């Protein structure tokens, strides 16, 4: 049945750029043989990798190093984009957020082999995560998963199986593939990227970013996912933001910086008796941790990953519920969105740098709209 689901998904969900925006060549250096991407600026702090997945494909990944970083972002990009198009954004995010960042191309995207399917993307993100752990020595508790649009699917699939993640960022996320096209109220077996069912299995803080004028994935998707989060962070609803231009709004990088700063200062409790405790920006956290026991029926595929999913103690629920009203009141006072008519000079010139990059993460599930959205993004 899973194979049928992936086959259906591949017919209407995946639009890899054709031709790819980059190539990968082998070059010799003082350190030996290394891979290099063409058609992008060459940087000394970027590793180019080819990773084998458990489904037999080989994907291309980049690892952007920041010597000041204590956290590492694993970024799953949106549809109709590849690493060549995302390269500059990855480098800028690594610099301004002070993180190491790994981005990867899904099977069938860029110079990755094979054909894209839902389950291949799950194997792709697992391969990238394993590379971080085994090659770069990154600890699970220092990883932030970032999923954009369709990338929210593999991001939440992996996040639902890792109990010690530091945080998750969902950028223009989808509730599920079918819900992008139809306002269905239940999950069908042939649906793909069932994020609506997986978000409740994620214990770490979750930041949701969505544009209020998104005409590809309605903002209601992001809002419903945020409501279902067990451990919320103040969301960012970008007024006037569409599906593929949120990076151009100055509040985007400002909000990310606040979130990453709070996450970096956080102290992960060794026991699972309560939500993550922050040393700063306490008012931005929601302690709306619902009394749900974590359970997953499909852990077998990730048996080698960390599955240390401890049940949360219920002793702190009453205390959190008592403070919930005050916290919600505080959030309403701080959850204002910068108006787009304000000066668009982004912090640290971030917006201007992003404008020069091709950042189209185009139409998730609407083939007829792909060309239209691509043109609007490139204006």
């Amino acid at each position: 049945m899973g194979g049928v689901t992936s086959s259906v998904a591949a017919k209407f969900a995946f639009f890899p750029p054709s031709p790819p925006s980059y190539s990968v060549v082998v070059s010799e250096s003082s350190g030996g043989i290394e891979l290099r991407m063409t058609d992008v600026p060459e940087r000394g702090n970027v590793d180019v990798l080819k990773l084998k997945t458990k489904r037999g494909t080989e994907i291309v990944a980049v690892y952007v190093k920041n010597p000041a970083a204590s956290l590492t972002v694993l970024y799953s990009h949106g549809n109709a984009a590849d690493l060549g198009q995302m390269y500059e954004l990855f480098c800028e995010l690594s610099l301004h957020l002070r993180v190491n960042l790994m981005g990867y191309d899904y099977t069938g995207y860029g110079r990755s082999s094979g054909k894209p399917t839902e389950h291949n993307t799950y194997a792709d993100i697992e391969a990238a995560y394993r590379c971080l752990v085994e090659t770069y020595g990154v600890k699970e508790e220092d990883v932030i998963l970032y999923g954009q649009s369709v990338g929210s699917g593999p991001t939440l699939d992996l996040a639902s199986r890792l109990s010690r993640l530091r945080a998750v960022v969902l950028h223009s996320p989808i509730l599920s593939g079918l819900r992008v096209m139809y306002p269905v109220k239940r999950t069908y077996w042939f649906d793909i990227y069932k994020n609506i069912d997986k978000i409740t299995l994620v214990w770490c803080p979750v930041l949701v970013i969505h544009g209020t004028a998104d005409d590809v994935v309605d903002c209601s998707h992001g809002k419903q996912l945020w409501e279902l989060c067990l451990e919320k962070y103040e969301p960012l609803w970008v007024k006037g933001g569409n599906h593929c231009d949120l990076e151009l709004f100055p509040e985007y990088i400002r909000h990310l910086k606040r979130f990453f700063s709070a996450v970096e200062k956080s102290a992960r409790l060794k026991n699972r008796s309560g939500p993550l405790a922050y040393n700063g920006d306490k008012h931005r956290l929601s302690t709306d941790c619902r009394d749900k026991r974590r359970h997953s029926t499909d852990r077998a595929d990730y048996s080698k990953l960390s599955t240390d999913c401890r049940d949360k103690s219920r002793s702190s629920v009453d205390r959190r519920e008592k403070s919930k009203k005050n916290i919600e009141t505080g959030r309403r006072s701080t959850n204002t969105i910068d108006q787009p008519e304000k000066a668009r000079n982004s912090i640290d010139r971030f917006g201007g740098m992003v404008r020069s990059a091709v950042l189209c993460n185009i139409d998730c599930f609407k083939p007829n709209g792909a060309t239209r959205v691509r043109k609007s993004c490139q204006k």
Side-chain angles (χ1 to χ4, degrees):
M1 187 171 290
V4 175
T5 306
S6 295
S7 178
V8 171
K11 290 182 179 179
F12 64 87
F14 302 103
F15 304 102
S18 182
S21 68
Y22 68 96
S23 295
V24 177
V25 297
V26 179
S27 62
E28 293 186 8
S29 67
S30 58
I33 302 297
E34 64 179 25
L35 298 178
R36 182 172 59 85
M37 288 178 64
T38 64
D39 304 307
V40 298
E42 191 166 350
R43 299 176 185 268
N45 66 324
V46 178
D47 293 342
V48 180
L49 309 155
K50 285 191 175 182
L51 310 175
K52 293 285 188 181
T53 77
K54 68 181 182 182
R55 293 175 68 89
T57 63
E58 186 176 64
I59 63 172
V60 180
V62 294
Y63 182 68
V64 186
K65 293 169 281 188
N66 186 322
S70 62
L71 301 175
T72 298
V73 173
L74 177 51
Y75 194 116
S76 301
H77 62 67
N79 212 350
D82 63 19
L83 286 181
Q85 295 171 328
M86 302 299 295
Y87 183 87
E88 282 299 310
L89 176 63
F90 288 168
C91 293
E92 292 304 320
L93 288 176
S94 173
L95 174 65
H96 291 286
L97 299 177
R98 296 167 61 91
V99 295
N100 301 314
L101 188 148
M102 174 168 280
Y104 65 99
D105 263 339
Y106 309 119
T107 294
Y109 277 66
R111 298 298 174 177
S112 298
S113 66
K115 295 182 179 181
T117 69
E118 177 192 13
H119 289 281
N120 276 345
T121 63
Y122 297 156
D124 298 337
I125 193 172
E126 181 181 343
Y129 174 74
R130 287 192 181 283
C131 177
L132 288 177
V133 173
E134 296 173 3
T135 302
Y136 294 100
V138 178
K139 297 179 180 179
E140 180 184 326
E141 52 267 31
D142 293 329
V143 173
I144 297 175
L145 298 184
Y146 190 120
Q148 183 173 14
S149 188
V150 168
S152 61
T155 291
L156 283 177
D157 188 75
L158 180 60
S160 68
R161 290 164 173 75
L162 298 178
S163 64
R164 297 192 300 274
L165 279 176
R166 183 63 67 91
V168 169
V169 179
L170 300 177
H171 177 147
S172 305
I174 64 174
L175 286 168
S176 72
L178 190 61
R179 286 175 172 86
V180 174
M181 299 185 295
Y182 306 105
V184 296
K185 301 299 183 183
R186 54 168 292 188
T187 300
Y188 294 89
W189 68 266
F190 53 84
D191 201 356
I192 66 170
Y193 296 133
K194 303 176 183 69
N195 294 340
I196 190 173
D197 299 327
K198 296 177 182 178
I199 187 66
T200 56
L201 301 177
V202 177
W203 291 104
C204 63
V206 178
L207 166 63
V208 179
I209 303 172
H210 215 121
T212 62
D214 194 324
D215 60 3
V216 176
V217 179
D218 191 80
C219 190
S220 61
H221 286 245
K223 289 182 177 180
Q224 189 170 345
L225 285 172
W226 183 80
E227 288 293 339
L228 292 171
C229 289
L230 299 181
E231 193 167 339
K232 300 175 175 66
Y233 185 85
E234 180 191 5
L236 175 61
W237 312 126
V238 182
K239 187 173 181 179
N242 209 314
H243 192 64
C244 57
D245 64 356
L246 301 188
E247 298 92 341
L248 305 184
F249 287 77
E251 55 264 41
Y252 165 80
I253 191 62
R254 286 202 297 264
H255 204 84
L256 273 180
K257 278 191 170 185
R258 286 196 293 267
F259 178 62
F260 277 66
S261 177
V263 166
E264 190 171 21
K265 294 174 184 177
S266 67
R268 170 70 69 180
L269 299 179
K270 290 185 178 181
N271 58 34
R272 305 296 299 184
S273 60
L276 199 62
Y278 284 87
N279 295 323
D281 273 353
K282 292 182 180 179
H283 68 283
R284 295 185 176 276
L285 277 175
S286 166
T287 53
D288 182 19
C289 299
R290 296 168 176 80
D291 189 10
K292 293 183 179 180
R293 297 179 63 86
R294 185 176 187 178
H295 60 278
S296 175
T297 58
D298 53 356
R299 294 181 184 274
D301 288 343
Y302 282 79
S303 59
K304 294 184 180 179
L305 291 176
S306 170
T307 54
D308 184 16
C309 304
R310 303 173 180 84
D311 287 338
K312 288 190 174 183
S313 170
R314 294 297 104 200
S315 61
S316 60
V317 173
D318 291 340
R319 173 173 51 82
R320 294 198 299 275
E321 287 298 326
K322 288 180 182 178
S323 62
K324 181 177 177 182
K325 290 184 179 179
N326 292 333
I327 295 172
E328 292 294 336
T329 302
R331 183 188 301 111
R332 282 194 293 270
S333 67
T334 59
N335 192 22
T336 57
I337 299 174
D338 295 340
Q339 299 299 317
E341 55 268 20
K342 291 183 179 180
R344 294 291 294 273
N345 293 326
S346 177
I347 184 168
D348 296 330
R349 298 187 300 278
F350 182 86
M353 304 178 94
V354 169
R355 282 186 175 87
S356 65
V358 181
L359 300 177
C360 297
N361 291 283
I362 305 170
D363 217 323
C364 301
F365 300 97
K366 302 177 183 177
N368 294 332
T371 301
R372 173 179 57 80
V373 178
R374 180 182 294 109
K375 290 180 178 178
S376 66
C377 293
Q378 292 177 336
K379 289 181 180 179

